[in-house]
Amino acid sequence: MNIHNIISEVEKVDPEIYDRLSPRRKVIQQFAKLSGKLALSAVPLALGSLFSKAYGRGTTGTILEVLQYALTLEYLEAEFYTKAVQSGIVPAGAPTGAFTTIRDHENAHVAFLKTAITASGGTPIAKPTFDFSAGNGSNNGPFKDVFTNYTLLLAVAQTFEDTGVRAYKGRAVELMANNDVLTAALQIHSVEARHAAHIRYMRRNLLSNTTIKPWITGKDTGGIGAAVQASYNGEDLTTQATINIVNINGKSISADAASEAFDEPLTDTAVLAIVDPFIV
Amino acid sequence: MKQKLLNVFEDQHAISAKGLARRKFLTQAGGLASVAVLANACKKDKDNNNDGIDLGSGDIGILNYAYALEQLEAAFYTQVVMSQFSGITATETALLTDIRDHEIAHREFFKNALGDKAIPGLEVNFAAINFNSRDSVLGTAKAFEDLGVSAYNGAGKLITDPNYLVLAGKIVSVEARHAALIRDLISNGTFADNTVVDAMGLDLAKAPKDVLTTASSFLKSKINANNLPTS
């Protein structure tokens, strides 16, 4: 097979392929140069991975791209909860019940998005390989104990859920052309928020820490720390549409409450930077 | 428990739009309108079911719809925190107070965002709620929060201005967080059970008319949603 031909074939169908691949454009150029030197058998796999990342990281905002982006995040969550339930470190009873419920929802989201993508004329991206240590494939990243340390497991779960909520919120506008897809995305979005609230409540009780609430206060990570700060930056907004929420209309609304009352979106660029260490 | 008369919208007197319209009509007519004309006007009102507070049309209508729901929620939690149910725990007090503040923030935000397009403050009817009973309060809270989530989810597609969609998105996930917590307080682990999340992993989404049917049983004020967009 000839990789130059493949990309040029894709270009005929998808003229924006190079823009779509733009964060990786240099890689592609290098890839194209190197491809002649690569073992032929390695090419399909590498190409698949390249395209997966590209479509999971859309920049031009078509509905299909947003769906692929969502699918990438749902793959991440689904596999995370599957491994969490299998790990044996989640206590029996309510904790395992909650993880199982969430796992099933994430799997349902994967299935739903695949169906939606196919129905929209696309091909669902393949599931990436994940490294839940956040080690970019080394399996030796900052969360390397995630499936042996229950406290850490909950911390990563919280981060995934809160990030997921922000991710859907950040791209809803791009779905406005299709009411059905927009509504479905909103329906997934609020389920992720329910998950986030429950995981946060689990952490509150496990750690006996009343500063951890089902909602996000300021840009507080809930004691997780700098490793996940990017998932919370910007959540401390207390002005909405130029209206200051703190003590609005003479009501006693603290800055904490004002920030908690509104969840903030994240751009795809920010989300992809956050999940990048988890994707091999 | 005797239901106190709620006056939670202390900064807004609940003014009936119908009352205002009638007053204006009578003023203009100078009291000379014939009985027949007046009777016909009233009849037309009733036949078209156009009485009640008009939420308006387009995005303004949707924002007023959200404002109405936030008024209801804020009024409820204000009363919950003011007259706490027996046996309330410190955790419950703290989290319900947080929720009250969030709902007041939402209500006041919509009020200011809508400006002179805002509907008046609504009169609530909480006669069916026993604020001294944990079951009654949390059961109502669950109903309100799940309803709120389904309302925003259903209204998203009716919004035309992307900025309003983003704002609705910022609020709905907080409502979902509330819903999850309230559900967990009632029965831990029910944060997203199959009464709200279907087999495809999707939360509820409801049309305004369905939401308002439920909400209206908690409102003395009558809402007229006839001019809201439906698609």
Side-chain angles (χ1 to χ4, degrees):
Chain A
M1 71 193 289
N2 184 323
I3 186 162
H4 304 283
N5 286 351
I6 292 171
I7 292 182
S8 108
E9 283 302 308
V10 173
E11 197 181 6
K12 285 179 196 161
V13 192
D14 180 359
E16 288 167 340
I17 177 70
Y18 283 108
D19 289 337
R20 217 181 287 286
L21 291 167
S22 80
R24 305 259 152 185
R25 185 176 289 173
K26 277 189 182 160
V27 179
I28 293 168
Q29 285 165 350
Q30 286 161 359
F31 191 110
K33 281 180 198 161
L34 285 171
S35 62
K37 298 172 190 167
L38 281 177
L40 199 59
S41 61
V43 173
L45 192 64
L47 188 63
S49 166
L50 182 67
F51 273 66
S52 296
K53 285 214 168 191
Y55 278 86
R57 293 157 187 244
T59 54
T60 56
T62 68
I63 284 172
L64 208 49
E65 272 181 308
V66 177
L67 291 172
Q68 300 280 28
Y69 169 80
L71 178 57
T72 305
L73 299 176
E74 297 292 350
Y75 274 138
L76 176 80
E77 290 187 305
E79 186 163 308
F80 173 76
Y81 285 103
T82 299
K83 289 194 165 169
V85 171
Q86 288 167 351
S87 72
I89 62 162
V90 182
T96 289
F99 269 72
T100 305
T101 296
I102 298 176
R103 177 201 65 192
D104 291 350
H105 289 162
E106 308 301 7
N107 279 324
H109 294 164
V110 167
F112 179 84
L113 289 167
K114 280 182 169 176
T115 305
I117 289 165
T118 305
S120 306
T123 303
I125 55 162
K127 186 173 76 172
T129 302
F130 295 113
D131 170 3
F132 292 105
S133 79
N136 237 324
S138 71
N139 290 309
N140 197 31
F143 305 135
K144 64 180 186 305
D145 297 331
V146 65
F147 294 121
T148 54
N149 176 338
Y150 179 52
T151 303
L152 181 60
L153 182 76
L154 281 180
V156 175
Q158 176 193 304
T159 307
F160 282 165
E161 296 296 349
D162 283 335
T163 305
V165 171
R166 301 188 71 179
Y168 275 96
K169 208 187 310 292
R171 302 203 71 176
V173 163
E174 295 169 61
L175 302 176
M176 289 179 81
N178 185 319
N179 282 347
D180 292 339
V181 174
L182 172 62
T183 301
L186 291 172
Q187 290 174 285
I188 294 177
H189 170 247
S190 61
V191 170
E192 302 294 347
R194 288 176 186 268
H195 295 168
H198 185 76
I199 295 284
R200 297 175 72 89
Y201 193 55
M202 289 173 79
R203 292 189 68 239
R204 175 190 177 99
N205 293 331
L206 181 75
L207 304 173
S208 299
N209 181 345
T210 57
T211 68
I212 303 171
K213 301 172 178 181
W215 26 92
I216 301 168
T217 308
K219 58 177 180 180
D220 187 29
T221 64
I224 302 173
V228 303
Q229 188 60 60
S231 290
Y232 295 93
N233 284 340
E235 277 286 3
D236 50 346
L237 205 62
T238 57
T239 298
Q240 300 294 343
T242 75
I243 296 168
N244 181 15
I245 306 300
V246 178
N247 296 331
I248 182 170
N249 296 340
K251 311 297 176 196
S252 178
I253 303 296
S254 67
D256 280 355
S259 73
E260 290 163 359
F262 295 83
D263 279 339
E264 300 304 323
L266 274 181
T267 63
D268 55 346
T269 306
V271 170
L272 293 168
I274 287 165
V275 301
D276 191 69
F278 295 96
I279 299 179
V280 177
Chain B
M1 174 188 160
K2 191 179 176 188
Q3 173 67 45
K4 285 182 193 168
L5 180 64
L6 290 177
N7 187 15
V8 291
F9 310 113
E10 63 275 76
D11 50 350
Q12 293 184 356
H13 297 292
I15 300 166
S16 152
K18 185 170 74 173
L20 271 182
R22 284 212 176 125
R23 189 183 302 167
K24 194 176 174 194
F25 172 72
L26 289 173
T27 307
Q28 286 172 343
L32 294 173
S34 74
V35 172
V37 168
L38 195 58
N40 276 341
C42 291
K43 184 167 181 290
K44 193 182 174 192
D45 237 21
K46 196 176 177 184
D47 288 352
N48 290 349
N49 200 19
N50 270 335
D51 52 343
I53 297 168
D54 185 3
L55 295 177
S57 61
D59 282 354
I60 293 297
I62 297 298
L63 293 182
N64 266 324
Y65 167 56
Y67 179 38
L69 296 175
E70 297 293 351
Q71 287 193 44
L72 182 60
E73 288 189 304
F76 170 71
Y77 287 106
T78 296
Q79 181 70 4
V80 167
V81 173
M82 200 158 53
S83 53
Q84 301 178 353
F85 56 77
S86 49
I88 195 168
T89 66
T91 293
E92 288 167 346
T93 300
L95 295 176
L96 289 168
T97 303
D98 273 9
I99 297 177
R100 176 200 64 184
D101 289 352
H102 303 163
E103 306 298 8
I104 290 175
H106 294 163
R107 180 188 71 197
E108 299 300 317
F109 167 76
F110 280 117
K111 181 184 170 190
N112 290 12
L114 281 156
D116 62 6
K117 304 281 201 318
I119 56 168
L122 302 177
E123 270 193 281
V124 295
N125 171 16
F126 291 155
I129 305 165
N130 178 355
F131 284 93
N132 194 38
S133 155
R134 185 177 187 272
D135 287 353
S136 178
V137 167
L138 295 184
T140 307
K142 172 182 157 184
F144 281 170
E145 296 295 352
D146 285 340
L147 186 70
V149 171
S150 71
Y152 280 102
N153 282 349
K157 68 175 184 183
L158 306 177
I159 296 172
T160 59
D161 184 329
N163 296 311
Y164 295 150
L165 179 63
V166 172
L167 282 162
K170 289 178 178 210
I171 291 172
V172 63
S173 56
V174 175
E175 302 293 351
R177 290 173 188 272
H178 294 168
L181 183 270
I182 296 290
R183 288 170 148 269
D184 281 339
L185 290 179
I186 294 171
S187 176
N188 188 33
T190 60
F191 56 98
D193 69 17
N194 62 13
T195 61
V196 281
V197 180
D198 69 16
M200 293 187 291
L202 305 182
D203 213 324
L204 298 172
K206 287 185 177 167
K209 66 175 171 52
D210 297 327
V211 170
L212 289 169
T213 299
T214 305
S216 65
S217 63
F218 295 97
L219 289 171
K220 282 200 190 91
S221 308
K222 186 166 165 47
I223 301 274
N224 172 359
N226 289 351
N227 296 317
L228 287 189
T230 53
S231 63

